Amino acid sequence: TTTSTTTILGTEFIARTIANNINSISKVFGIVGVPITPIAYALQKEGIEFYGFRNEQSCSYASSVAGYLSAKPSICMTVSGPGMVHALAGVLNAMSNGWPMILLSSSISTNDIGKGAFQEAEQLKLSTCYCKKSFNVIDINQFPDILKEAIETSVHGRPGPVYIQLPTNVIHSKSVEIPTPMPMANISVAKEPIEQPLIDSTIQLLKSSKKPLIIGGKGASLARCEDQLGQFVSQSKIPFLPSPMGKGLIADDSEYVVSAARSFALKNADTILVLGARMNWMFNFGSSPTFSSNVKFIIIDIDANESKSNVNIVPTIGIQNDINQFLLQLNQSWSNHNNNNNNNNGYQEWWSQLKPEIESKSKLLLQLLKQPQINTTDYLTYHQVYNQLVCSKLFDAEQTIFVNEGANTMDIGRLCITHNRPRCRLDAGTLGTMGVGVGYAIAAAIVCPQQKVVCVQGDSAFGFSAMEVEVAKRYHLPIVFIVLNNNGIYEGLESMEDPKYHESTRSAALSLPPTSLSFDTHYEKIIEAFGCPGFYLDNLVDIDRICQQITSNQVELPCLLNIKIKPTGSKPKIVH
Ligand code: ADP
Ligand code: MG
């Protein structure tokens, strides 16, 4: 008369619960150690992929960006204390960028709190600063409900990180009954219709303005609104300006994209429709002199703090909703409205001002890109290298995810590389996090296996997480890593002849500029240590040859190209 119940170990129960929700989870990343190692084994037993990293910092960066790419949280699994604290870097990064992720960390046994236990830290308290919500699992039977709520919290509203803490005594629970049915997370976002008067007044404002502009950012990418956006831009003929990671929402080479005239467009626009981009430091807080002082903002954001009670600007119209939903309704109503002003001529006057600006800026960029390297011994510039990578077809605008970080490496890369699809540019983001590149590339290759991943970093940026190339090798991820090596942070010294490098004493090294790193480091040897191909390149002919080999599948991936570029704009003054 009694129904038989299955009992399993706590570690297996945790894995089973994750497996049960796997359709709402991107991937599981982590670094094992006491007491979480058996959870990773149990996950494998459940058929769940577990990707092991080298440092929790990179692992958490990978988790954060996996959420952006897949619209599902990934799990970043760490040990207690230092493991959890290292992962906070990625948690903060996820919070700042608005990306879903779950940090799942062990903690010391509840009975040991305050005794100085192994890897004891105030984890829960720390997590609350940068997480949407933090959970402490007191009894393992709570875990299914907590995981469900954590997954849902991470994706609903503005996405972000959620923390789940598993005390050691809970992980070590024995004989756990499996509840049937197990709770399953629902990550589909309910699309509430927007009241028609709000749509109507948006259209009226846009149609009555002379110089409207659309800004599209990461929120628009997250909303996966590219089809509706493309339709809206071509029917309204309103110029489109992407944020750095909004690139590709409308193809960069489309006639409607005004990136080349960014400053001019921002300064002269009279009405700006903001789709999923915060008016933070990246847009000078929405204020002059970047914007005209009487510009009107229409803000569409899933987050009420952005759309309604914005800290930086007062929107003329603020709509708290999903961007795809908004554009759907906007597209349906746009042509129903009268065009007593200028909508029929497609803002021709505005375009006649933007077009020459775009042309002249594009011409300037082209000059920098097309500069020949006269002697193979001449230092290469960023522009020359990027141009060669494009000409050698390393970037395929249709199917490449481009990870790009560093200072100049990132800023110049943003201008030189074009994208035809959204969510294909991954950079230091809202927080300006340096060191994300290798972790991002690994996550991109795992989450988007049909894409090519090219990761271009400065030598300093690469140094933050260089060891993670071993992870790329271990999982056979076909990533092309490229280090633009200028001997330093921003820039380095130009020559070994420099007495500061020449004298091999510590005091000489201490008088080096704080921006300089070691001269002419052979970063390609780092990946060679793992049996992968590495190349040291200092001229365009060799770069072209290696890129040709890569694109014709003659080079095993992952590989690393260490490209020597001009360390400084001008020879640094040597102080004797
Ligand atoms: P960017 O760095 O590209 O300018 P931000 O990260 O500053 O972009 O801004 C993204 C904004 O998009 C956030 O304010 C976030 O709340 C919002 N957002 C995220 N998802 C959606 C969505 N589905 N619909 C509307 N807004 C969204
Ligand atoms: Mg550098």
Side-chain angles (χ1 to χ4, degrees), residues 210 235-239 256 342-351:
K210 296 210 152 38
Q235 78 165 318
S236 70
K237 308 215 178 335
I238 299 177
Y256 298 116
N342 57 0
N343 109 74
N344 236 3
N345 69 17
Y347 309 103
Q348 267 176 29
E349 209 183 303
W350 182 208
W351 275 112

Side-chain angles (χ1 to χ4, degrees), residues 150-162:
I151 293 169
E152 290 173 354
T153 305
S154 76
V155 290
H156 291 160
R158 175 186 288 163
V162 176

Side-chain angles (χ1 to χ4, degrees), residues 7-15 140 170-176:
T7 62
I8 54 174
L9 290 174
T11 48
E12 292 169 352
F13 181 76
I14 291 161
I140 191 131
V170 172
I171 294 172
H172 288 166
S173 308
K174 295 213 162 61
S175 301
V176 188

Side-chain angles (χ1 to χ4, degrees), residues 402-414:
F402 175 43
V403 180
N404 195 201
E405 67 159 336
N408 299 319
T409 304
M410 179 172 77
D411 291 340
I412 298 171
R414 185 175 57 244

Side-chain angles (χ1 to χ4, degrees), residues 382 409 458-460 484-492 517:
Y382 289 100
T409 304
D459 49 340
S460 156
L484 299 191
N485 186 354
N486 68 352
N487 302 342
I489 304 168
Y490 306 113
E491 61 176 30
L517 300 169

Side-chain angles (χ1 to χ4, degrees), residues 72 99 183 221 327 413 415 528:
K72 299 170 182 182
W99 294 344
S221 299
L327 287 170
L415 304 176
E528 286 174 0

